[in-house]
Amino acid sequence: MRTQVGIVGAGPAGLMLSHLLHLEGVGSVVLEARSRDHVERRVRAGVLEQGSVDLLVENGVGDRLNREGAVHQGINLQFDGERHRVPMTELTGRTITIYGQQEVVKDLVAARLAAGADIRFEVSDVRLDGLAADEPVIRFRHRGRAEEVRCDFVAGCDGFHGVCRDAVPAGVLRAYERGYPFAWLGVLARAAPAIDELVYCNHPAGFALYSLRSPEISRLYLQVRPDEDLAGWPDRRIWDELHRRLETGDGWVVNEGPVLEKGVTPMRSVVVEPMQWRRLYLAGDAVHIVPPTGAKGMNLALADVRLLGQGFAAWYAHRGTDLLDDYSRTALRRVWRAQHFSWWMTSMLHRFAEDDPYQERLQLSQLRYVVSSRAYATSLAENYVGLPTV
Ligand code: FAD
Ligand code: DHB
């Protein structure tokens, strides 16, 4: 089999890239390890920056997003038992939209398949060959048969545990990393959200986040130990902990309902540089991850492939190499801004040690400064809604 761009991974990055290339008349094949059903049900992120919404809408995959996404103009920071609103739109003129990542994935899969795309789900043993000779070949197994795709370029969009990054010879890439001594326990519940806008909460017992998906579905997160066993968190304990951390004693309560899904997400910050080697281009979680506190993961994945799509388009239109040559350098500017913002939000909102009163005082001082200084609040808001690519 031969195609122009071989894409590994059908997450937001791989699917959006395939769609953008199609609009530019460039062919691609997408290889995905999991089933279509699995990728369309995987509950993950939920916050789209305005730039991500614009990208989806301008490229014809935003109809359901426009109908069903919830546009938010602010977020709340809660600490010391008080809730404070950061009026993001007043401060920046921009909004965010709540729309589940699996809905973005569903919309993109539907658009690609409607256009006759070749997406192979449930492939295994994916291996990249021929990169050093600039003749990429992706070998894999599908429905019990060994197959291969020959292509001009490979886009490694296969997430943090993917195989593309490892196809680069040792010594070429460098990883920059930070670990955190906690994880998030996330629940999706059939419960009407008791909030209109997200609540990020610093609490002595640990961070909590109140988010939503629709007027009937709440999405909630609790800081837990990094090695937390879900078995130790029956639904009753989760709700008790959410009540304890999120309620401020003024009569407002977290609404309970049947838990539809729950899972533990470890937290790390990682950037791997450069994001390209020869004809292999890496995008999204395959080459950088952030702790979810800044809501940046999916947005970065989409921003990467917007650049990469433009680069491939220029190459096929007139053999232009400037954009592809600059891909890693340009993308890394946004990546590092999001790294810093995600690290900063994480540091300000979580409990890092059992007993570190000095750090807790620093966090509270910083939070109080953010909600009382227009300059500091604007800095948080412009990062949260997404800075333009520069
Ligand atoms: P992915 O969505 O990971 O897509 C990669 C795809 O490649 C997957 O479909 C995978 O099955 C496939 N793949 C992997 N290996 C292979 C292979 N060898 N061959 C073929 N296919 C392969 N961000 C937030 O902002 N908030 C959150 O609450 C949040 N929660 C998260 C929870 C979890 C468990 C994870 C893993 C991430 C979470 N994120 C969250 C981050 C956000 O979801 C990611 O940043 C986003 O999914 C990145 O998109 P992507 O397309 O780069 O990667
Ligand atoms: C959601 C996830 C995040 O990581 C975040 O910072 C805000 C909201 C969510 O899943 O709704």
Side-chain angles (χ1 to χ4, degrees), residues 1 19-20 39 54 57 75 80 109 115 122 125 175 183 198 218 262 264 266 268 298 318 322 325 357 373 382 385:
M1 201 183 349
H19 178 67
L20 292 171
V39 299
D54 294 346
V57 171
I75 56 167
D80 222 4
V109 169
E122 297 180 78
D125 302 330
L198 274 51
S218 299
K262 58 182 165 181
V264 174
R268 279 170 83 182
M298 174 172 43
H318 49 84
D322 291 4
D325 291 348
S373 152
E382 68 183 12
V385 299

Side-chain angles (χ1 to χ4, degrees), residues 243-259:
H243 289 302
R244 177 157 82 115
R245 297 189 198 177
L246 286 165
E247 292 169 7
T248 53
D250 60 358
W252 174 89
V253 288
V254 173
N255 287 338
E256 294 188 20
V259 171

Side-chain angles (χ1 to χ4, degrees), residues 7-15 31-34 38-39 42-47 101 105 123-126 157-164 184 209 213 219 221 264-266 283-302 304:
I7 300 175
V8 186
L15 291 165
L31 305 175
E32 166 59 49
R34 313 303 295 254
H38 181 92
V39 299
R42 205 163 35 190
V43 179
R44 288 187 172 176
V47 175
Q101 178 169 325
V105 166
V123 303
S124 60
D125 302 330
V126 172
C157 303
D158 50 349
F160 192 61
H161 302 288
V163 294
C164 290
W184 278 15
L209 168 60
R213 286 293 179 271
R219 177 77 169 144
Y221 298 93
V264 174
T265 306
D285 276 21
V287 45
H288 45 69
I289 49 172
V290 282
T293 328
K296 289 287 166 239
M298 174 172 43
N299 293 295
L300 281 180
L302 292 171
D304 284 352

